């Protein structure tokens, strides 16, 4: 295998341009929010934390290196945040608060209404589809909306785009996402709990002859052997990565898998029943609330690297395989979001709604700290 380093690119570097206008970080007290705020402040951008608690935002801002007395926006819902966006007109809003299927359209539409830009880290089918559905509206307003700005979506999307570059439309694509994430001590929180429950209730998805169809969560489990010799299991899941892989390749048959999906026979048998139970609104609310309150101990990342993987096959039998090697998954997500935001502030975005590589090209993944490893 050969490695491609940080060469090439489809967008301007972040060294020039005018960093005018505020960047709002919604969910600024969370892990990604704090990390993005720190990176953007270090680049000289005007960062404004947005959240429910002024006290918690002050502490998080100090940890992120924001100046004392930094302006903050206190708002306790997506609707109130949207009202403030319309009133204050920030240049870019970064949404890290989660529950993106509900929060993203509300906040993104507010950004579009004032000609601003929007970024989130969504990676579920409903949320990503909902944001991408705003493409025409955003294009007319001159706004750029980017969803899936993290390890989830970009790590696999970029590999597919790289493998398909200057080649005919392939017949079949499979992507696998294997993130190595360090755990912070504390409660799981509503955002993560919502994501877990949504994964269980949505089941699986795949593209079959160009149609998005239902499939079993945990379908087609496989053991992946990574370029560094380590391995992990991965199985089918409904995710934003599936939509991005389809868009990047236009292949009629596409599947997406993750190391977070159930791979054991017992779990794969139980999950459909659990998903049906959690589809009941009252049970879903209870599950999100209880799961969000669960406290966990700090734990180091399980392996040195996170991996995005893709296999692309053509009708003539040609097959290409590639990987994106990254470090700790949440750190890579922070890097992607900060890089995309910086580019938008400096005017590098294209109007419309996009996934990250669709907006800025596959080399965004290397700019954010990844390395391609191609066959």
């Amino acid at each position: 295998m050969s490695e491609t380093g940080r060469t090439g690119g489809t967008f301007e570097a972040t060294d020039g341009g005018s960093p005018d206008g505020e960047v709002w970080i919604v969910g600024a007290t969370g892990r990604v929010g704090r990390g993005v705020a720190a990176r953007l402040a270090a680049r000289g951008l005007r960062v404004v934390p947005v959240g429910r608690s002024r006290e918690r935002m002050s502490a998080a801002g100090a940890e992120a290196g924001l100046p004392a007395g930094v302006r903050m926006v206190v708002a306790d819902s997506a609707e109130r945040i949207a009202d403030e966006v319309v009133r204050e007109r920030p240049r870019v809003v970064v949404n890290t608060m989660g529950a993106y299927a509900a929060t993203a359209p509300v906040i993104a539409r507010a950004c579009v209404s004032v000609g601003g830009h929007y970024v989130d880290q969504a990676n579920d089918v409903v949320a990503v589809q909902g944001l991408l559905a705003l493409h025409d509206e955003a294009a007319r307003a001159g706004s750029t909306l980017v969803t899936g700005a993290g390890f989830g979506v970009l790590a696999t999307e970029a590999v597919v785009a790289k493998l398909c570059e200057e080649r005919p439309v392939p017949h079949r694509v499979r992507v696998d996402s294997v993130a190595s994430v360090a755990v912070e001590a504390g409660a799981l929180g509503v955002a993560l709990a919502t994501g877990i429950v949504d994964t269980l209730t949505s089941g699986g998805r795949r593209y079959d002859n160009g149609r998005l169809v239902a499939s079993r969560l945990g379908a087609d489990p496989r053991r992946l052997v990574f370029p560094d010799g380590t391995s992990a299991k991965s199985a089918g899941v409904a995710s934003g990565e599936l939509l991005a892989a389809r868009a990047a390749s236009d292949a009629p048959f596409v599947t997406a898998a993750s190391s977070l999906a159930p791979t054991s026979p017992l779990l794969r048998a139980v999950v459909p029943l659990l998903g049906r139970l959690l589809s009941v609104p009252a049970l879903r609310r209870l599950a999100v609330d209880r799961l969000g309150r669960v406290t966990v101990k700090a734990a180091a990342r399980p392996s040195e690297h996170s991996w995005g993987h893709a296999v692309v096959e053509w009708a003539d039998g040609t097959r290409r395989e590639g990987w994106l090697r990254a470090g700790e998954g949440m750190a890579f997500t922070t890097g992607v979001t900060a890089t995309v935001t910086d580019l938008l502030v400096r005017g590098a975005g294209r109007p419309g709604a996009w996934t990250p590589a669709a907006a800025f090209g596959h080399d965004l993944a290397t700019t954010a700290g990844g390395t391609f490893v191609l066959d």
Side-chain angles (χ1 to χ4, degrees), residues 37-365:
R39 293 193 186 208
L40 296 180
R43 298 180 188 186
L45 302 188
R46 293 164 55 194
V47 175
V48 175
V50 182
R52 293 185 176 91
S53 167
R54 185 177 298 275
E55 292 72 20
R56 290 185 62 202
M57 286 192 291
S58 294
E63 180 182 336
L66 302 185
V70 65
R71 194 169 89 83
M72 292 179 284
V73 174
V74 179
D76 61 1
S77 69
E79 290 73 19
R80 292 194 179 185
I81 292 166
D83 290 341
E84 292 299 318
V85 168
V86 172
R87 188 167 67 87
E88 299 286 349
R89 305 172 70 91
R91 182 71 173 274
V92 183
V93 175
V94 180
N95 180 8
T96 73
M97 71 187 298
Y100 296 112
T103 65
V106 175
I107 298 173
R109 277 201 166 96
C111 293
V112 169
S113 74
V114 296
H117 310 302
Y118 170 90
V119 185
D120 70 33
Q121 303 80 42
N123 191 22
D124 66 271
V125 169
V126 173
V128 172
Q129 281 183 324
L131 201 284
L132 296 180
L134 301 180
H135 178 81
D136 291 344
E137 187 177 339
R140 287 193 296 269
S143 296
T144 302
L145 315 178
V146 181
T147 187
F151 182 85
V153 177
L154 180 59
T156 56
E157 176 193 28
V159 181
V160 174
K162 188 83 169 175
L163 295 176
C164 293
E165 191 173 32
E166 298 182 359
R167 290 175 177 262
V169 172
H171 180 66
R172 188 178 303 274
V173 172
R174 172 176 168 130
V175 295
D176 298 90
S177 175
V178 183
S180 178
V181 176
V183 177
E184 282 192 339
L188 286 181
V190 172
L192 180 55
T194 300
I196 294 170
V197 172
D198 285 347
T199 297
L200 292 171
T201 56
S202 61
R205 297 285 191 279
R206 72 178 191 276
Y207 279 96
D208 188 342
N209 203 23
R211 295 176 55 248
L212 186 62
V213 299
S215 64
R216 189 183 186 92
L217 179 62
D220 195 15
R222 299 183 185 179
R223 177 165 290 280
L224 303 173
V225 179
F226 306 125
D228 64 358
T230 60
S231 67
K233 287 185 177 180
S234 178
V237 68
S239 68
E241 290 149 337
L242 176 67
L243 305 179
R246 160 71 175 174
S249 66
D250 207 27
F253 296 91
V254 183
T255 58
S258 168
S259 60
L260 298 178
T263 57
S264 74
L266 178 59
L267 284 176
R268 292 171 62 212
V270 170
V271 160
L273 174 60
L274 182 59
R276 287 194 291 272
L277 289 173
L278 294 178
S279 296
V280 178
L283 293 179
R284 183 186 185 279
R285 289 192 296 270
L286 179 63
V288 169
D289 179 67
R290 295 289 180 86
L291 188 59
R293 296 172 186 270
V294 171
T295 58
V296 295
K297 295 181 179 179
R301 60 186 179 186
S303 57
E304 182 179 3
H305 301 303
S306 298
W307 296 96
H309 174 244
V311 174
V312 181
E313 300 175 7
W314 282 264
D316 64 1
T318 302
R319 180 182 185 275
R320 297 196 71 200
E321 183 176 15
W323 307 81
L324 183 83
R325 184 182 66 218
E328 198 273 338
M330 295 295 282
F332 184 78
T333 291
T334 298
V336 173
T337 298
T339 301
V340 168
T341 304
D342 189 40
L343 288 166
L344 292 176
V345 169
R346 300 179 191 279
R350 288 189 296 159
W354 314 93
T355 51
F360 296 109
H362 53 64
D363 283 340
L364 175 66

